[in-house]
Amino acid sequence: MSRKNCFIKISGDMLSNNDVLGWIKKLSQEYFIVVCVGGGTQINGAFIEAGLPVGKFGPLGRETASLKEKQLARDMLEKNQAEIQDRLADLSVYASVVIPVIEIGTVLCHVNGDQFIFTAYRGFDILYVVTTNDRLEKKKAFFAPYKKIQVIGF
């Protein structure tokens, strides 16, 4: 029998949380794991440091006005991706780590991580949204209609 698969959308604010990493390690004993890492806080910081406007954040995520903004946001997500890959490898957790960015043709399309999870919904046995405790109730309410999505706070 093949191993079930699990999609985990993790907030960039949870990257260094050892409890989250231990939890993922336990899940990896039962599931093939794909982690989608966010990075809103880190992207905001990078924009401020670069002198770029943080911009609007709508229901589909951050609205960017230029290719420079899109590339900087992607760079921060890729930095988070590399960090969590390394931290998981240190724990002997072999998981695929993706970022919520899609290239359609030659167009770089950022997708809010909370929306990106819907692209994975049909293909995965279980999906988790891992967030901070202060965001927990809002996210639980948002994902309540989707039976396979569980929201976990740390």
Side-chain angles (χ1 to χ4, degrees):
M1 185 171 172
S2 65
R3 185 183 288 199
K4 291 183 177 183
N5 56 43
C6 173
F7 186 91
I8 303 168
K9 186 274 179 181
I10 182 171
S11 167
D13 295 325
M14 300 272 91
L15 290 178
S16 58
N17 185 309
N18 290 328
D19 292 337
V20 171
L21 297 173
W23 174 78
I24 292 172
K25 182 176 176 77
K26 285 181 188 174
L27 281 177
S28 72
Q29 295 169 8
E30 183 178 350
Y31 295 99
F32 170 74
I33 304 285
V34 175
V35 176
C36 175
V37 65
T41 301
Q42 294 88 355
I43 293 168
N44 286 348
F47 275 34
I48 290 167
E49 187 176 312
L52 297 169
V54 171
K56 270 176 46 176
F57 193 87
L60 298 179
R62 179 184 312 277
E63 295 179 20
T64 52
S66 69
L67 180 59
K68 181 178 180 177
E69 291 173 359
K70 289 179 186 181
Q71 289 173 325
L72 182 55
R74 183 191 58 201
D75 290 347
M76 295 310 301
L77 290 167
E78 287 175 343
K79 181 179 177 199
N80 287 354
Q81 178 185 36
E83 180 180 332
I84 198 157
Q85 282 173 331
D86 290 347
R87 298 210 58 215
L88 290 171
D90 288 344
L91 295 172
S92 299
V93 175
Y94 303 100
S96 295
V97 181
V98 299
I99 61 172
V101 177
I102 301 170
E103 285 187 42
I104 301 176
T106 60
V107 179
L108 192 62
C109 302
H110 284 266
V111 181
N112 176 279
D114 287 344
Q115 298 294 325
F116 193 74
I117 198 167
F118 296 125
T119 64
Y121 190 84
R122 298 252 185 241
F124 284 80
D125 296 302
I126 191 163
L127 303 96
Y128 291 98
V129 174
V130 178
T131 190
T132 58
N133 282 322
D134 61 315
R135 298 176 190 150
L136 185 62
E137 292 309 315
K138 183 177 179 184
K139 289 192 184 279
K140 278 186 175 183
F142 180 76
F143 289 108
Y146 306 96
K147 294 179 192 254
K148 291 196 300 184
I149 299 176
Q150 295 181 31
V151 181
I152 306 291
F154 284 89

